[in-house]
Amino acid sequence: MPEAASVPAAAALIGDSEFDRDTAVVRREPGVYDIDLSAGWTIINAVNGGYLLAVLGRALADTLPHPDPFSISAHYLTASQPGPAVVRTETVRTGRTLSTGQASLFQYDADGNEVERIRVLASYGDLGALPDDVRTTAVPPVIPPLERCLGPEDGPAPVEGSSAITDRLMLKLDPSTLGWALGAPSGKGEMRAWFGLADGRDADPLSLLLTVDALPPTAFEIGLTGWVPTVELTVHVRRRPAPGPLRVSITTRNLAGGFLEEDAEVWDSEDRLVAQSRQLARVRLG
């Protein structure tokens, strides 16, 4: 466990990117971190689940002896709000190639009681130490060139305050998955897009935790509207991404009982599969 550090020492976690600043955690004592969750990563009034996972992922990277998330699973217990939060981490096991830790994020209710928002279990390693051998049947998604895809700026002006996160992203959606925006959803449960951060920061293993949960819900293309809160999200980070825009493909095959799954793949500019995820989400029916 790292020794306690002062606030200036924790500032080493902060980069020039808005993403780095807004996910930076300040170590109060070993295993306890403070953060002010930014309103810049909200959808309506709720903080985006991928952004929150990156916050917890950064705290675990400071706690564990290995630098990169290999597998991270989060259960979203209650909706997080912008403002102060506390992350508590614990080392479960350390080994030569992998270490395992858990973390929870807490906020306070109106009465000053601590409320757990998210609980995470993760395995960390060193992606740079992995062998280059790849044997796969996976292929990159077919997406039109970036200049032929459409972003939030190409549609009507959004309702003020409805989705602050879109200002932080470079998001260009495949027109064939945009039927929902024209009132004619395809019913296929597919979403594909070019993805990056708006300030040009290149992707890394930590930002991939945001990437898998940053596109519009596949529920929109099924013909459903409204908020689709995440119940559980598991991300596998496979490689450190090359510089350049990412391609993200998300599919849903089964909606039952008011819940659906979203399977995501993230591909880098060198046609490498760099992250995969599956999440269970709740939808509003009727």
Side-chain angles (χ1 to χ4, degrees):
M1 183 76 70
E3 295 181 358
S6 63
V7 171
L13 296 174
I14 303 176
D16 294 331
S17 166
E18 189 171 24
F19 172 80
D20 292 315
R21 293 194 301 271
D22 289 347
T23 58
V25 291
V26 176
R27 194 190 316 146
R28 185 197 308 174
E29 59 186 70
V32 182
Y33 300 83
D34 294 306
I35 184 169
D36 193 43
L37 297 178
S38 171
W41 303 88
T42 55
I43 300 173
I44 311 298
N45 294 317
V47 183
N48 171 263
Y51 162 72
L52 293 168
L53 191 58
V55 167
L56 288 154
R58 194 180 287 282
L60 281 166
D62 185 71
T63 298
L64 299 172
H66 293 96
D68 302 317
F70 275 30
S71 175
I72 183 165
S73 297
H75 285 264
Y76 294 79
L77 309 177
T78 54
S80 299
Q81 305 298 324
V86 176
V87 177
R88 292 194 174 90
T89 64
E90 178 184 344
T91 300
V92 176
R93 180 186 179 276
T94 59
R96 186 175 60 85
T97 58
L98 286 175
S99 55
T100 300
Q102 60 186 12
S104 292
L105 184 143
F106 300 86
Q107 290 187 305
Y108 296 92
D109 64 17
D111 297 321
N113 300 311
E114 216 171 52
V115 178
E116 188 174 8
R117 303 296 195 194
I118 310 169
R119 185 175 297 188
V120 159
L121 184 66
S123 291
Y124 274 57
D126 183 353
L127 289 167
L130 297 181
D132 292 330
D133 182 47
V134 177
R135 310 178 195 194
T136 182
T137 59
V139 294
V142 178
I143 303 178
L146 195 148
E147 61 272 13
R148 288 172 47 200
C149 292
L150 302 173
E153 67 279 5
D154 299 309
V159 177
E160 186 174 353
S162 64
S163 189
I165 191 174
T166 58
D167 294 334
R168 325 262 90 74
L169 307 177
M170 188 289 294
L171 188 62
K172 290 290 187 178
L173 292 156
D174 183 339
S176 68
T177 67
L178 272 173
W180 57 274
L182 304 173
S186 68
K188 294 181 179 179
E190 299 176 348
M191 204 67 64
R192 291 182 294 276
W194 294 91
F195 180 88
L197 292 170
D199 59 14
R201 178 198 190 275
D202 281 322
D204 66 3
L206 191 68
S207 73
L208 292 175
L209 304 182
L210 165 72
T211 303
V212 299
D213 192 45
L215 271 60
T218 54
F220 289 179
E221 197 61 354
I222 295 174
L224 302 173
T225 59
W227 190 34
V228 186
T230 302
V231 176
E232 186 270 344
L233 171 61
T234 295
V235 186
H236 295 165
V237 179
R238 309 305 302 272
R239 305 194 64 163
R240 292 178 181 165
L246 302 168
R247 285 159 292 169
V248 185
S249 173
I250 305 179
T251 59
T252 292
R253 298 178 57 200
N254 190 55
L255 185 158
F259 292 84
L260 57 75
E261 89 290 341
E262 286 192 340
D263 290 316
E265 291 184 351
V266 182
W267 295 77
D268 72 3
S269 59
E270 296 182 359
D271 285 346
R272 302 180 307 171
L273 181 61
V274 294
Q276 299 164 279
S277 73
R278 166 166 280 199
Q279 71 169 277
L280 181 70
R282 183 164 49 89
V283 297
R284 184 183 302 164
L285 298 174

